[in-house]
Amino acid sequence: MSVKEPPIPAPPPEPGAPQGAAATQVSILEIFITFLIIGGISFGGGVVAYLRNALVVEKGWLDEEEFLTALEISQALPGLNATNMSVIVGDRLRGPVGAIAGFLGMTLPGGLLVFALGIFYVSNHGNPAMHAILAGIGAAAVGLLAAVTVQIGHKQLEHLREILLILITVVMVSFLHVSLVLVLLTVLPLALFIYRPGRGEVDEP
Amino acid sequence: MNNPHTDLSVLGVFSLLSLLAIGGGTAVLPEMKALTIDAHHWLTDSQFRDIYSLGQVAPGPNMLMVIVIGYHVAGTLGAFLAFTGFFLPASVLALGSSRLWNHFDGSPWRLALQMALAPIVVGLMAAGTVAVARTAITGTETTLIAVAVFVLVYFGPKMIGKKVNPALYIFAGGLLGYLTLK
């Protein structure tokens, strides 16, 4: 495990690594441990709240605006918010090595636990109590996913064009079973066309 | 039990899913089901449900369950390949493009991309919810658990003025499953 990584004696700032709000050089080990804690306590999703608390409030590595920008990038790119944030923030602080430290910290606790549970699951296949518990968890997860989706979608359920884009996406994926690649290749250009700059509805900066 | 062809398929399938996960893990659940159940026959519907549920119990990113799919298909190497496939491509992309993104600060196209992605992400999350519901909602008990959790998560904070950690609902769901479905 990369905990063994010796703290690198502050080198000159890596070329291209933008300096964040952090005035002093943060050690690789500190990046790893900070994300290890977030990765270890963020149960039940909602990693963003844990990230904000640790990175903005406790460590002061980013200010609110920098945090929101990093979150915007994480959301616009493929991949999970949690791991994208660990990579982007780690990179901001200490370049690519910082990114690796953040990513490993973020994924290690949950990954090892899931791996252990997976070994248990595969070797206890057919155990009725285990399947009953997992069925209950699966059902609860559906309720949770539905609530989170409605909460996020709520803001957009006002304009007809957003509702149409949501519906087109759901119908293509869930009912027509169109492959996700095709869905993205058709709906994303359509949406980009709808929201293209200079379409005359939004004031240009 | 390891067959190099299977190992490569695990790596390939999860790398593809990694790059398609726009708006988070839930967005790729329908495609993940299609590839792992229908295309490759690695899992049955109920195994997918079980493994998805296992992932809910762990802290951190909510798609670490890909490790269990990999393990189920191709042992420890499979677990490692599924993890690497699902997390590495997107992470490398994030590393490469965050500086690019800052470069486009203030660009009207950056704003357009964000606005265009928002409804698509909601649509993909809804589709992901449908995909999990199709395997996880199997009768009266599971329907009631899902509806109860939805109501508590969605309306609960307005009623009691406080947000409850969703992990509690996950554990309560497991307990109710044990009591009613065994």
Side-chain angles (χ1 to χ4, degrees):
Chain A
M1 281 190 253
S2 72
V3 198
K4 303 267 171 354
E5 191 129 32
I8 298 167
E14 273 117 305
Q19 288 303 304
T24 49
Q25 183 84 283
V26 179
S27 83
I28 299 290
L29 185 65
E30 195 181 352
I31 296 172
F32 175 74
I33 290 175
T34 301
F35 281 99
L36 189 74
I37 293 170
I38 302 170
I41 62 169
S42 55
F43 282 95
V47 183
V48 171
Y50 292 93
L51 282 166
R52 193 188 151 276
N53 190 48
L55 303 175
V56 180
V57 180
E58 280 175 20
K59 296 284 178 183
W61 287 344
L62 304 175
D63 62 30
E64 284 291 348
E65 204 191 320
E66 289 169 323
F67 181 79
L68 285 178
T69 306
L71 192 60
E72 272 172 16
I73 307 168
S74 299
Q75 287 167 337
L77 290 171
L80 310 188
N81 283 340
T83 47
N84 283 352
M85 283 294 283
S86 67
V87 167
I88 291 166
V89 175
D91 178 48
R92 272 191 69 99
L93 295 168
R94 285 298 298 269
V97 182
I100 294 169
F103 172 81
L104 288 178
M106 191 75 198
T107 51
L108 219 47
L112 291 178
L113 179 62
V114 166
F115 186 51
L117 288 171
I119 294 172
F120 180 82
Y121 172 75
V122 170
S123 59
N124 283 273
H125 203 72
N127 178 328
M130 183 183 74
H131 290 289
I133 293 171
L134 292 175
I137 292 174
V142 171
L144 187 59
L145 281 177
V148 171
T149 304
V150 175
Q151 274 164 356
I152 295 179
H154 193 72
K155 284 178 262 170
Q156 314 200 17
L157 294 174
E158 292 163 13
H159 302 289
L160 186 62
R161 55 170 188 256
E162 275 94 15
I163 297 173
L164 281 177
L165 283 170
I166 293 172
L167 282 179
I168 291 172
T169 309
V170 173
V171 168
M172 284 176 87
V173 176
S174 295
F175 300 100
L176 304 177
H177 303 287
V178 179
S179 103
L180 186 51
V181 181
L182 273 179
V183 173
L184 291 175
L185 285 178
T186 50
V187 183
L188 188 55
L190 172 70
L192 270 175
F193 178 76
I194 293 174
Y195 295 106
R196 71 194 178 279
R199 65 189 191 284
E201 280 181 43
V202 167
D203 300 335
E204 294 290 331
Chain B
M1 111 185 204
N2 271 2
N3 161 343
H5 180 71
T6 310
D7 295 342
L8 271 183
S9 303
V10 170
L11 186 65
V13 161
F14 286 102
S15 304
L16 174 68
L17 291 171
S18 178
L19 295 175
L20 292 178
I22 303 272
T26 309
V28 286
L29 285 172
E31 192 76 5
M32 192 182 289
K33 272 182 73 181
L35 290 171
T36 59
I37 299 173
D38 307 327
H40 288 280
H41 305 288
W42 288 334
L43 302 169
T44 64
D45 233 37
S46 59
Q47 284 169 338
F48 188 90
R49 189 270 326 267
D50 284 353
I51 292 175
Y52 181 77
S53 301
L54 277 184
Q56 300 303 303
V57 180
N62 66 354
M63 295 298 286
L64 289 166
M65 59 99 152
V66 298
I67 292 172
V68 186
I69 299 183
Y71 181 75
H72 176 89
V73 178
T76 304
L77 178 64
F80 178 76
L81 291 174
F83 174 80
T84 308
F86 193 71
F87 288 99
L88 193 66
S91 296
V92 169
L93 193 66
L95 185 62
S97 35
S98 80
R99 290 172 194 190
L100 199 67
W101 182 266
N102 289 330
H103 183 74
F104 286 103
D105 194 13
S107 156
W109 277 103
R110 192 175 115 168
L111 187 66
L113 179 65
Q114 276 175 270
M115 291 180 71
L117 281 172
I120 296 175
V121 165
V122 174
L124 292 177
M125 286 179 68
T129 308
V130 170
V132 180
R134 280 183 178 150
T135 60
I137 304 300
T138 51
T140 315
E141 294 88 351
T142 45
T143 309
L144 289 175
I145 293 172
V147 170
V149 171
F150 176 84
V151 169
L152 286 168
V153 175
Y154 193 70
F155 298 106
K158 285 167 209 154
M159 292 188 297
I160 61 171
K162 187 169 170 292
K163 219 172 159 242
V164 178
N165 188 328
L168 282 178
Y169 297 121
I170 294 295
F171 287 111
L175 184 65
L176 283 172
Y178 179 75
L179 294 174
T180 63
L181 297 164
K182 195 161 75 115

